[in-house]
Amino acid sequence: MSDTTQTGPSGPYPPTEAMLAEPVPQDEQDRTAAELRAAWEPPKGWRYFTAVNNSEVGLWYALTAFGFMLLAGILALLMRVQLAVPGNDLISADRFNQFFTMHGSAMMFLFAVPMFEAIAILILPAFLGGRDMPFPRLSAFGFWCFVIGGVFVMGSLLFDAAPTAGWFMYPPLATQDEGPGSDIWLLGLSFIEIASIAAAVELIVGVLKCRPPGMRVNIMPLYAWYVLVVGGMILFAFPPLIAGDFLFELERSFDWPFFDPTRGGDPMLWQHLFWIFGHPEVYIVFLPSIAIAAMVIPTVARRPIVGYSWIVLSAVGTGFLSFGLWVHHMFTTGLPNISLGFFSAASEAVVIPTGIQLFAFAATLIVGRVKMSLPMLWIAGALAIFIAGGLTGVMLAIAPFNWQVHDTYFIVAHLHYTLFGGMVFPVIAGVYYFFPFIRKKMLSERLGRWAFWLIFTGFNVTFLPMHLTGLLGMPRRVFTYPEAAGWGLLNMISTLGAFVIAAGFAVFVWDLLRPKGDQKQVPRNPWDAGTLEWSHNVPAEFWGARSIPHITSRYPLWDDPKLVERMDAGRYYLPDSPHGHRETLVTSVIDASPELAQRVTGPTWITLWAAGFTGGAFIFPTFHMYVSAIVSGAFAVVCILYWLWTSTARPPEHGMRDAGLGLSLPTYASGPKAVGWWAVWITMLGDATAFASVVFGFFFYWTAKSDFPPEGAVHAAPVLVGLAVAALALSWALTLGARHWNGAGRLGAARGALVGAPLLAAGGCAALILSVQQLEPSSHVYPAIIWALMIWVVAHALVGIIMQLYCLAGSLTGKLTPRHDADLWNITLFWHFLCLTVLVAGAVIGLAPGVL
């Protein structure tokens, strides 16, 4: 069989001990290492910022997120100075409102979630013995989106134009806020959410498809499990917020009254959508930090983790339960008692899986031979603080107590105990633990202990008194208070503590950034850990793993003493780069059998251009510059199409690749074997969640508002809605047919279908737009939500049309052939979801009004 027709692996697998024991000649080791070094060499000079390697992008991501955290911390310090004494006038009320809004927004959107994604991008390939993430350019695109969005949002402080309505942006305060502050929050952070979802897609596909051969799901590192769980949570938690932002901005820009009760709207819908995102967000922040603890604890205990399976099940359970707790942020909104009881019980139930994980860590330490280290000191501090925060969380899950302390400083104390213990301390532990892997140097033990005790002490001095301040009745978000309230002493103590925290962070930052040129490079595995990331090269190489190993245990460095030596010799898979390409290994989802030698993309400017123009599409509407936004969005589409056309799913020069150990692998795959197909599938799950959130809005109004739809309301034209659904469904069918005919070699039929499909889709869009022309969306929430559904469908159909034309162009130019049809598989998957969206939207727009 020729290498152009073969589509599956061939050769022996798994490798035998005799195969692995066979020595690799030194000259071959040198030759293959030189090939890899040349292929993975990072760009130099001014082209450095075109790098897309996970080692570079992950580091930029982490440093940027840390920088935003320091800015948010400075805002917190200024607020503490303002509150140190009663009646202080250092900061005006409006400026104080900007500071607390940006402090919360930056900590959650610019630090907590991005830091998880940054660390995961940086170290996940090493945990998996891989070369890089499956879509390096997507990582770089997400990072540049994050930078642009973050600078835009934080920069608003310099112009006294920052949002002032709090990080949750409750309407009507936020919707009626004058000035661009609310728009900056909505559009700027929506832009950043794209980066978050892009990273989540990358990480999920990385865990599922880029594990080393033999690393079945039941032996992969706990860190990978947590990344998988949190990636899935981001995928389902962020879309409701994006849907809420979509409705919110339509109200701000066009006066469509989704949250205006005088015209049928309801501000409670925003609270539901926000907290469906907001509560899982806490666990999105917490679980990755626990993942760091799960990697540090076995190392210091010098034994495998106790209760691996229980920890995995508990992590999944925590993620699942976190979506059922959002209402406990809304106990004071007048919900029925049965709802209060249910969500109170659910809030307490989440303690069970969380407790299992913590007890498993404690058990590992008890049965192990603990060697105390600096990372473990930070983990111990994290556990102490997080448990205190968890206990006050149980108190807040009880509705009567929640009513008592709602919106007081007790809540401020609780959430900071949870976030510092559940995120900040473990992340710093991770910095000390992984720094030798990242920079091949050690951080200072002495400075690390100084930083720990300053931050730990300062934290408790700051936030422990806030429990009492809150119980004494001090509300959150007030810029000053009268002396007669009696809160002055407690606030002064908290302010002094905040400066001790700041001193601790100053020590930590100095230790992180101080020159270390005279320090010797670290031993390869300074902690004597058992997981694969410590097989890294010292001095650093940019190829990831020298050769991708075959893994059969959870702690391969402990269980296979010859593993690193064989990796270094190039004994395992993909030890070379004969054609000068960057490649990584793609394996099956469950048992990690080798499937594909995947070519990955290299340095480019196109990701910066795409991120810049995408940023324009989000930022220009803030200032009502809609034409500029459309032009910028069009350029962004052109950049992304160029990126995809020139570097993805192109027919390879060589159909098969000698992967090593006698195994030959294909270099091209379509459908479920391709990482691109998985990326589309995962992205569309998130997109479907956002659409479901908009549909949820329709039925929320129906159940909550007696005037929905209002008496004598004009409805969408049912005939036109039916025509639109039929045309778009036929477009889907032709797309599916095009994939089938192309695969069968009937290129004429496939191309004909790819001509007819976009014409039908365009006709369907036109019919759907015409069907709602008689509705006035600013008059009442009913026509407004109908228009919103129409816009959602039409926008997605336009994307679908571009995809169909892209494949038609690919077929005509030879990029897409019967054998090389990954693009067609991917757009068909998109159209499956789009067809479902059209059917649901058609039923809601065309049929539901007759039922209501």
Side-chain angles (χ1 to χ4, degrees):
M1 185 179 290
S2 73
D3 71 351
T4 57
T5 56
Q6 189 169 344
T7 58
S10 67
Y13 179 79
T16 64
E17 178 57 30
M19 294 164 67
L20 296 176
E22 186 177 339
V24 180
Q26 187 60 49
D27 59 341
E28 187 176 340
Q29 292 185 36
D30 295 340
R31 177 185 61 78
T32 55
E35 289 177 359
L36 278 182
R37 196 171 287 116
W40 290 89
E41 184 180 8
K44 300 283 195 315
W46 56 277
R47 286 180 57 81
Y48 173 69
F49 292 101
T50 66
V52 297
N53 309 43
N54 75 298
S55 55
E56 307 303 304
V57 173
L59 191 60
W60 299 343
Y61 223 138
L63 290 174
T64 308
F66 187 64
F68 285 132
M69 189 215 75
L70 293 179
L71 287 177
I74 291 171
L75 296 180
L77 267 185
L78 292 171
M79 287 189 290
R80 282 311 323 164
V81 172
Q82 166 66 18
L83 293 170
V85 294
N88 198 355
D89 59 356
L90 176 70
I91 300 173
S92 69
D94 182 68
R95 182 68 79 172
F96 189 88
N97 292 344
Q98 293 184 37
F99 282 7
F100 78 68
T101 299
M102 292 310 301
H103 171 74
S105 300
M107 283 298 188
M108 299 306 283
F109 293 103
L110 301 180
F111 168 62
V113 175
M115 183 57 85
F116 148 65
E117 294 177 329
I119 293 174
I121 288 172
L122 187 58
I123 64 177
L124 182 65
F127 273 112
L128 302 180
R131 289 273 158 71
D132 203 330
M133 302 300 290
F135 313 108
R137 290 188 178 181
L138 184 63
S139 298
F141 172 71
F143 166 72
W144 290 113
C145 287
F146 170 65
V147 171
I148 295 169
V151 169
F152 172 65
V153 173
M154 293 300 287
S156 63
L157 282 165
L158 300 175
F159 301 94
D160 199 21
T164 57
W167 80 282
F168 34 74
M169 298 296 284
Y170 283 161
L173 181 63
T175 48
Q176 296 178 9
D177 184 34
E178 296 180 355
S182 294
D183 301 307
I184 289 171
W185 190 96
L186 285 165
L187 293 168
L189 294 182
S190 294
F191 179 44
I192 292 168
E193 286 154 17
I194 291 178
S196 297
I197 292 179
V201 170
E202 171 97 298
L203 294 171
I204 293 172
V205 177
V207 172
L208 292 178
K209 297 293 290 180
C210 295
R211 302 197 308 277
M215 184 184 276
R216 302 184 308 275
V217 291
N218 63 333
I219 63 170
M220 68 182 189
L222 282 172
Y223 187 83
W225 267 112
Y226 279 101
V227 166
L228 189 61
V229 170
V230 175
M233 292 173 68
I234 289 175
L235 204 63
F236 291 107
F238 275 67
L241 181 61
I242 292 173
D245 290 349
F246 170 60
L247 302 180
F248 207 122
E249 194 53 33
L250 287 175
E251 175 160 337
R252 288 274 300 179
S253 297
F254 306 114
D255 193 30
W256 294 7
F258 297 106
F259 310 109
D260 179 1
T262 64
R263 288 177 287 168
D266 193 333
M268 288 293 290
L269 175 62
W270 171 260
Q271 290 205 31
H272 281 290
L273 293 176
F274 183 86
W275 288 115
I276 290 174
F277 146 79
H279 195 79
E281 163 94 343
V282 175
Y283 294 91
I284 288 170
V285 169
F286 161 65
L287 288 177
S289 307
I290 287 295
I292 293 173
M295 304 314 298
V296 172
I297 285 175
T299 298
V300 299
R302 290 181 285 180
R303 59 148 294 140
I305 193 89
V306 172
Y308 173 96
S309 301
W310 284 101
I311 292 174
V312 171
L313 289 172
S314 299
V316 174
T318 304
F320 180 78
L321 282 174
S322 70
F323 282 90
L325 312 182
W326 83 92
V327 170
H328 84 209
H329 294 270
M330 302 165 62
F331 277 170
T332 58
T333 57
L335 295 168
N337 284 339
I338 190 169
S339 297
L340 294 179
F342 174 81
F343 285 103
S344 178
S347 301
E348 294 177 31
V350 79
V351 171
I352 297 172
T354 306
I356 289 173
Q357 295 166 73
L358 300 183
F359 279 118
F361 296 160
T364 305
L365 293 170
I366 290 169
V367 300
R369 293 171 290 118
V370 175
K371 181 181 180 182
M372 198 63 182
S373 63
L374 191 54
M376 189 58 218
L377 179 65
W378 286 90
I379 293 293
L383 292 175
I385 290 174
F386 181 78
I387 288 170
L391 291 174
T392 53
V394 173
M395 295 163 68
L396 289 168
I398 300 168
F401 184 83
N402 192 298
W403 293 334
Q404 182 67 30
V405 298
H406 179 76
D407 259 351
T408 70
Y409 264 80
F410 189 93
I411 305 296
V412 179
H414 160 70
L415 70 90
H416 280 89
Y417 265 84
T418 305
L419 293 176
F420 255 78
M423 200 269 173
V424 176
F425 273 69
V427 164
I428 297 177
V431 171
Y432 281 103
Y433 184 71
F434 290 114
F435 196 83
F437 163 76
I438 298 167
R439 304 304 296 173
K440 318 304 177 192
K441 305 277 185 178
M442 294 292 284
L443 290 173
S444 164
E445 178 87 10
R446 182 170 58 87
L447 292 176
R449 290 184 182 278
W450 267 101
F452 171 81
W453 287 111
L454 283 169
I455 295 176
F456 185 82
T457 305
F459 172 83
N460 285 290
V461 171
T462 303
F463 293 102
L464 191 62
M466 285 189 191
H467 293 97
L468 183 56
T469 315
L471 289 173
L472 290 173
M474 181 170 174
R476 304 165 65 182
R477 310 182 195 101
V478 291
F479 86 106
T480 189
Y481 51 90
E483 186 172 1
W487 307 325
L489 176 61
L490 292 171
N491 274 291
M492 177 58 78
I493 293 171
S494 291
T495 300
L496 294 174
F499 277 91
V500 178
I501 297 176
F505 271 105
V507 173
F508 173 66
V509 171
W510 166 246
D511 193 14
L512 200 62
L513 302 180
R514 68 187 168 84
K516 302 178 182 65
D518 58 344
Q519 186 185 122
K520 292 181 180 178
Q521 291 202 313
V522 290
R524 198 164 187 174
N525 188 356
W527 309 112
D528 195 20
T531 41
L532 211 46
E533 74 276 17
W534 297 107
S535 65
H536 66 139
N537 293 95
V538 179
E541 297 281 3
F542 292 92
W543 54 43
R546 169 67 178 85
S547 59
I548 300 174
H550 181 253
I551 297 299
T552 56
S553 79
R554 290 173 183 158
Y555 298 92
L557 299 194
W558 287 343
D559 298 334
D560 185 354
K562 296 180 180 177
L563 183 84
V564 175
E565 177 188 342
R566 289 170 175 173
M567 289 175 68
D568 287 348
R571 181 67 280 171
Y572 290 104
Y573 298 106
L574 298 186
D576 55 3
S577 179
H579 307 297
H581 299 156
R582 297 183 174 195
E583 297 167 303
T584 193
L585 206 61
V586 174
T587 55
S588 58
V589 171
I590 302 298
D591 57 3
S593 296
E595 289 184 335
L596 177 71
Q598 169 81 31
R599 183 176 173 180
V600 296
T601 48
T604 179
W605 288 107
I606 197 65
T607 51
L608 281 86
W609 285 107
F613 286 121
T614 307
F618 278 86
I619 292 170
F620 284 127
T622 306
F623 308 103
H624 304 286
M625 300 166 65
Y626 297 110
V627 174
S628 301
I630 292 170
V631 171
S632 189
F635 275 107
V637 170
V638 170
C639 288
I640 292 170
L641 287 175
Y642 173 81
W643 158 10
L644 296 174
W645 184 271
T646 55
S647 62
T648 64
R650 299 196 66 84
E653 299 165 3
H654 306 278
M656 296 295 288
R657 158 85 153 94
D658 177 8
L661 293 169
L663 183 67
S664 291
L665 293 174
T667 57
Y668 188 100
S670 303
K673 286 187 177 180
V675 290
W677 186 91
W678 281 89
V680 174
W681 166 256
I682 293 165
T683 303
M684 294 313 296
L685 281 179
D687 184 78
T689 306
F691 173 68
S693 301
V694 180
V695 174
F696 167 77
F698 181 94
F699 289 99
F700 173 83
Y701 293 126
W702 178 41
T703 55
K705 309 294 287 187
S706 59
D707 62 344
F708 185 88
E711 191 75 23
V714 177
H715 301 299
V719 174
L720 287 173
V721 174
L723 284 173
V725 171
L728 288 164
L730 279 173
S731 182
W732 160 77
L734 282 179
T735 306
L736 188 61
R739 194 191 78 190
H740 173 74
W741 291 319
N742 178 73
R746 297 173 59 187
L747 296 184
R751 290 169 182 169
L754 288 172
V755 171
L759 293 174
L760 279 167
C765 289
L768 195 60
I769 293 170
L770 290 173
S771 73
V772 301
Q773 286 302 302
Q774 300 302 314
L775 282 69
E776 177 48 59
S778 61
S779 63
H780 190 272
V781 74
Y782 170 70
I785 194 75
I786 296 292
W787 267 79
L789 287 166
M790 180 276 290
I791 290 172
W792 190 278
V793 172
V794 169
H796 282 71
L798 291 176
V799 174
I801 289 171
I802 292 172
M803 289 180 168
Q804 290 163 337
L805 295 175
Y806 179 88
C807 284
L808 177 62
S811 178
L812 293 172
T813 58
K815 180 177 185 291
L816 190 148
T817 69
R819 163 71 182 88
H820 305 106
D821 57 351
D823 290 333
L824 206 41
W825 273 87
N826 294 347
I827 75 152
T828 305
L829 183 58
F830 174 88
W831 269 91
H832 289 337
F833 279 90
L834 179 55
C835 186
L836 186 62
T837 298
V838 168
L839 293 175
V840 172
V844 173
I845 296 173
L847 300 179
V851 178
L852 301 180

